[in-house]
Amino acid sequence: AGAFHVVLTNYIGIRNQSFVMDKIRESEVWNQPLEGYSIKILKQNDRASEGAAPGTVREVVVEAVVRWVNEVENGWEKSGTNLKVSNYKYRLELDSRGRIIGGAWISFERPDFIWTQTKPGFTGYMAPLKDLIEMSVR
């Protein structure tokens, strides 16, 4: 939960970049790109829970509302974006300097895994595709 929070806030909040998550942990893989999020602090404790990461001096319970892009049906008409939301509740474990050093999921629903993809380069005989793609997005 702590790692998810750090990636969420750093990639989308600071870098303004998205990443992909498999949003359901108990079924087949469905990769959903994230569009945004909001965080609400629900509770704060000035002590560590049993089993918290060593060095935890404070804990914060948060609810993250994560907006992600759902699949759209094939068709000829422009369908726009199909944004959905998932609500996750988790505990963040903080050290004496306020850094996230751990966490635990409270909600049953949580991402199974997250990943990013680097932008592919077009080289060799595929190099002309770069110009074609650049012309198509103008």
Side-chain angles (χ1 to χ4, degrees):
F4 176 75
H5 185 85
V6 169
V7 171
L8 181 68
T9 56
N10 280 273
Y11 264 80
I12 296 178
I14 295 173
R15 295 181 181 181
N16 198 27
Q17 295 177 347
S18 184
F19 59 92
V20 178
M21 72 174 177
D22 175 22
K23 70 175 195 68
I24 301 175
R25 65 186 179 130
E26 74 270 359
S27 65
E28 71 274 3
V29 173
W30 288 93
N31 293 311
Q32 314 297 153
L34 273 64
E35 184 273 337
Y37 69 93
S38 63
I39 302 285
K40 180 179 177 183
I41 296 175
L42 302 176
K43 183 175 155 186
Q44 298 187 52
N45 291 326
D46 289 331
R47 59 176 178 73
S49 297
E50 185 177 332
T56 300
V57 298
R58 189 164 71 95
E59 295 181 343
V60 179
V61 174
V62 300
E63 180 181 45
V65 178
V66 178
R67 295 183 305 275
W68 48 273
V69 181
N70 196 25
E71 296 82 15
V72 293
E73 295 292 325
N74 292 332
W76 295 103
E77 300 297 319
K78 184 175 180 178
S79 60
T81 43
N82 192 9
L83 292 179
K84 302 289 184 185
V85 297
S86 292
N87 295 300
Y88 302 122
K89 191 185 291 187
Y90 49 89
R91 185 181 72 239
L92 297 173
E93 300 162 354
L94 309 174
D95 68 8
S96 61
R97 295 174 57 191
R99 296 177 298 190
I100 298 169
I101 58 172
W105 292 99
I106 297 170
S107 59
F108 177 79
E109 293 297 329
R110 65 190 85 163
D112 193 21
F113 60 88
I114 59 177
W115 59 278
T116 63
Q117 176 68 44
T118 57
K119 191 174 185 178
F122 294 104
T123 60
Y125 73 93
M126 300 294 272
L129 286 176
K130 179 181 178 189
D131 296 331
L132 183 61
I133 288 173
E134 286 176 2
M135 288 188 312
S136 72
V137 294
R138 288 187 202 160

